[in-house]
C-alpha cells in the first residue's frame, strides 16, 4: 500500500519577556510529541525558519521571533499489511501464541512505525487473531518496549483475549524480567514504589512523581554482581509504561545501555581511564537497554491449567554478561 507524504505546518511567535533559549530546546519542549533529536533533524533539513530565514539548532530565540515548522507527515495506512518476518514462537495452541520478541521490533503499528512490527509478522503467520483491540493491534494482549526483548502473549480470539486481559488487570500474571543495572546494590532484595508520570520536559519519557501519575510497584533481587554492575531479576506488581527503566533510574541504578534513562552515562569509574575504556567497549556491545522479559506465567482460559514459559537471554545480553564476568 503506497503512502502519500503530506506536510503539517506549525507557527509560533515568541512572546515578550521570554528569555533567550536555544531553538532546538525550546521547540522540543513546546511541540507535542517532539524530541530534541527530531527537532534538530528538522532544523538541519531546512524545515524550520525564524522570520523566514533558515537557522541552526543553536540559534537563540528572542521575543517577537516568528517560527515556522514544516513537518513531513506520513498518514497511517488504512489497513496493516502482512509482512513475511520471522517469528520466534515459544508456545502455540488453538487459542494463544507466545512470541519471544527481539529487541528493535515494535509490538504494533504506530506513528513512525507502520511496518516491520510484530503485528505485521503475525498477520502473515495466521488469520486467527483477536479483534478485541482497536484496528492495528489484533491479538496484542500486552506490550513491551521496542528495545526490550522477551515474551509476549497473543490471543487468537476475543473471548480468550478478554480472559487474559482480566488476569493482567488483577495482577495474577507471573512475569519476571532480567536486567543488567549500573552499580552494586546495598540491599540484595528490595522494592521500589513510586508514581510514574510523564516528564514535563519531554512528554515521551516518564519520571517518578510524588504528586502526579499512576501508582507503580517493582520488586527486584540481585542474581550476580560484577565490578560496577549487577544482574538482577525484577517482578512487576503493576505494569506501567517504562516502569522498570524509570524505577531503576530513580534509585540510581539505571538499566545498563538505556539511552533514555541514564544507562549510557558512565556512572562508575569515569575518572579511571582503564575502567572508562572497558565500559565504553561494553556499551558498544549493548546498544540498547539490557532488559529482557524472561518468564511468563498465566492460567490458560480454556484448560484452567497453569502455563509457565521461560526464555533464553538474547545474544547481546549474553555477550555483555560474559565480558563482565571476565573482567
Amino acid at each position: 500500500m503506497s503512502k502519500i507524504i503530506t506536510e503539517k505546518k506549525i507557527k509560533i511567535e515568541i512572546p515578550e519577556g521570554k528569555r533567550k533559549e536555544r531553538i532546538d530546546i525550546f521547540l522540543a519542549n513546546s511541540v507535542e510529541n517532539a524530541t530534541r533529536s527530531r527537532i534538530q533533524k528538522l532544523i538541519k533539513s531546512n524545515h524550520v525558519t525564524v522570520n523566514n530565514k533558515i537557522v541552526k539548532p543553536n540559534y537563540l530565540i528572542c521575543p517577537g521571533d516568528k517560527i515556522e515548522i514544516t513537518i513531513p507527515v506520513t498518514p497511517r495506512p488504512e489497513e496493516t499489511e502482512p509482512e513475511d518476518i520471522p517469528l520466534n514462537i515459544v508456545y502455540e495452541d488453538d487459542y494463544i501464541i507466545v512470541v519471544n520478541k527481539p529487541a528493535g521490533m515494535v509490538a504494533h503499528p504506530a506513528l513512525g512505525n507502520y511496518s516491520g512490527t510484530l503485528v505485521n509478522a503475525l498477520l502473515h503467520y495466521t488469520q486467527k487473531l483477536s479483534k478485541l483491540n482497536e484496528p492495528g493491534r489484533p491479538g496484542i494482549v500486552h506490550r513491551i518496549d521496542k528495545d526490550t526483548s522477551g515474551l509476549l502473549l497473543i490471543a487468537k480470539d476475543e473471548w480468550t483475549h478478554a480472559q487474559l486481559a482480566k488476569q493482567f488487570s488483577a495482577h495474577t500474571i507471573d512475569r519476571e524480567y532480567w536486567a543488567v543495572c549500573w552499580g552494586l546494590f546495598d540491599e540484595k532484595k528490595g522494592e521500589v514504589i513510586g508514581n510514574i508520570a510523564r516528564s514535563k520536559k519531554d512528554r515521551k519519557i516518564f519520571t517518578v512523581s510524588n504528586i502526579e501519575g499512576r501508582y507503580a510497584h517493582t520488586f527486584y533481587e540481585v542474581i550476580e554482581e560484577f565490578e560496577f554492575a549487577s544482574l538482577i531479576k525484577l517482578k512487576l506488581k503493576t505494569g506501567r509504561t517504562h516502569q522498570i527503566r524509570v524505577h531503576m533510574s530513580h534509585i540510581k541504578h539505571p538499566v545498563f545501555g538505556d539511552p533514555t534513562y541514564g544507562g549510557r552515562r558512565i556512572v562508575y569509574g569515569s575518572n579511571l581511564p582503564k575502567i572508562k575504556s572497558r565500559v565504553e567497549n561494553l556499551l558498544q556491545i549493548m546498544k540498547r537497554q539490557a532488559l529482557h522479559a524472561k518468564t511468563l506465567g498465566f492460567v490458560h482460559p480454556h484448560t484452567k491449567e497453569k502455563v509457565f514459559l521461560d526464555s533464553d537471554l538474547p545474544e547481546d545480553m549474553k555477550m555483555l554478561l560474559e565480558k563482565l564476568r571476565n573482567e
Side-chain angles (χ1 to χ4, degrees), residues 44-256:
K44 290 174 182 177
S45 59
N46 298 336
H47 284 86
V48 177
T49 61
V50 178
N51 304 325
N52 297 318
K53 293 180 181 178
I54 300 296
V55 295
K56 294 182 178 180
N58 62 355
Y59 173 82
L60 298 178
I61 59 170
C62 301
D65 278 348
K66 296 181 179 179
I67 302 173
E68 184 169 310
I69 312 162
T70 303
I71 303 177
V73 177
T74 303
R76 180 174 185 154
E78 292 183 6
E79 295 182 2
T80 303
E81 296 184 343
E83 295 180 35
D84 188 2
I85 301 170
L87 287 170
N88 182 2
I89 296 174
V90 299
Y91 175 91
E92 183 177 11
D93 60 23
D94 290 339
Y95 312 101
I96 291 168
I97 301 173
V98 178
V99 173
N100 190 359
K101 184 190 82 68
M105 176 181 273
V106 178
H108 57 77
L111 182 62
N113 293 286
Y114 293 129
S115 64
T117 72
L118 177 62
V119 164
N120 294 107
L122 287 168
L123 288 170
H124 182 272
Y125 177 75
T126 181
Q127 298 298 310
K128 291 181 63 179
L129 291 172
S130 163
K131 297 180 177 62
L132 192 65
N133 290 332
E134 64 268 30
R137 302 184 184 185
I140 300 294
V141 180
H142 65 116
R143 292 172 288 173
I144 55 178
D145 297 338
K146 174 183 176 182
D147 288 323
T148 297
S149 54
L151 299 180
L152 268 178
L153 189 55
I154 312 299
K156 290 185 175 182
D157 64 83
E158 289 75 19
W159 188 86
T160 301
H161 191 152
Q163 299 308 305
L164 292 170
K166 287 180 182 178
Q167 293 184 47
F168 273 96
S169 179
H171 308 300
T172 57
I173 296 281
D174 292 325
R175 285 188 291 170
E176 184 175 282
Y177 290 75
W178 282 27
V180 177
C181 291
W182 278 99
L184 305 181
F185 288 70
D186 293 332
E187 297 181 359
K188 307 311 175 191
K189 200 172 184 179
E191 59 186 334
V192 185
I193 301 173
N195 285 14
I196 291 180
R198 288 194 180 274
S199 168
K200 295 185 183 299
K201 294 181 180 179
D202 185 343
R203 300 292 293 172
K204 284 192 172 182
I205 67 174
F206 295 82
T207 186
V208 171
S209 172
N210 293 325
I211 56 175
E212 296 180 328
R214 302 176 71 189
Y215 173 80
H217 195 164
T218 306
F219 298 94
Y220 70 84
E221 183 176 347
V222 175
I223 301 172
E224 190 174 355
E225 293 181 323
F226 312 104
E227 185 179 1
F228 48 79
S230 301
L231 174 64
I232 66 171
K233 59 183 178 182
L234 304 111
K235 290 191 175 182
L236 304 179
K237 187 172 181 180
T238 56
R240 310 305 181 201
T241 304
H242 297 185
Q243 179 172 321
I244 288 173
R245 299 161 64 193
V246 174
H247 271 176
M248 290 301 102
S249 180
H250 179 67
I251 64 171
K252 312 302 181 187
H253 292 288
V255 177
F256 190 90

Side-chain angles (χ1 to χ4, degrees), residues 269-293:
S270 59
N271 295 322
L272 301 173
K274 289 184 179 179
I275 292 179
K276 183 177 180 181
S277 175
R278 294 209 307 268
V279 171
E280 287 173 345
N281 288 334
L282 293 174
L283 287 170
Q284 286 303 308
I285 294 172
M286 204 70 221
K287 297 184 181 296
R288 63 174 181 103
Q289 60 262 18
L291 180 61
H292 177 71

